[in-house]
Amino acid sequence: MKNFLVKTIANAGALAVAVWLLGKITLTGGSTGEKAATLIVVALVFGLVNMVVKPIVQVLTFPLFILTLGLFTLVVNALMLLLTSWVADKLDLSFHVDGFWTAVLGGLIISIVSWALNAFLPDGD
């Protein structure tokens, strides 16, 4: 349970960095507390999408991973971020990713920041 909480907080932090760096990834809302709560919920959705959908997409596109020597991971991460944006819209959350190339860059930023945060945050159950 602790590991899940740590990963969710790391994802929320990574999403916050992507929102801060990229103008086309937007998080609208009122107060800072509302934005933080929205980021936590979006991080939960992002984690769920990565846990359920991403492995299926990776298996179906395995030949492309081999052909591109793993660079297709950027496309899959972008698609997962776009799917998270779509689900957030359906849940009436104020998180939006505008466009595929923004999602590619956002996915790259989120991956790097999340990796760095997970390296420094405590791990364990």
Side-chain angles (χ1 to χ4, degrees):
M1 180 68 177
K2 183 179 176 185
N3 193 24
F4 174 75
L5 184 63
V6 168
K7 287 186 184 288
T8 301
I9 291 170
N11 277 339
L15 286 164
V17 171
V19 167
W20 179 61
L21 289 176
L22 300 175
K24 291 188 175 184
I25 297 179
T26 56
L27 177 69
T28 56
S31 68
T32 304
E34 289 175 2
K35 288 182 180 179
T38 301
L39 272 176
I40 295 293
V41 174
V42 170
L44 287 170
V45 170
F46 188 63
L48 188 63
V49 164
N50 280 329
M51 186 176 69
V52 175
V53 179
K54 189 174 182 177
I56 297 168
V57 173
Q58 286 177 330
V59 166
L60 294 175
T61 59
F62 185 71
L64 290 172
F65 280 97
I66 300 297
L67 186 65
T68 63
L69 302 174
L71 287 176
F72 196 70
T73 304
L74 294 172
V75 174
V76 172
N77 287 343
L79 293 174
M80 297 305 107
L81 189 57
L82 285 171
L83 181 59
T84 301
S85 175
W86 180 79
V87 170
D89 182 50
K90 296 300 176 191
L91 294 175
D92 202 29
L93 297 171
S94 60
F95 177 80
H96 181 70
V97 178
D98 187 27
F100 175 76
W101 293 109
T102 303
V104 169
L105 190 54
L108 183 61
I109 290 168
I110 290 167
S111 295
I112 292 169
V113 172
S114 181
W115 170 80
L117 287 175
N118 279 316
F120 291 106
L121 289 173
D123 194 19
D125 289 325

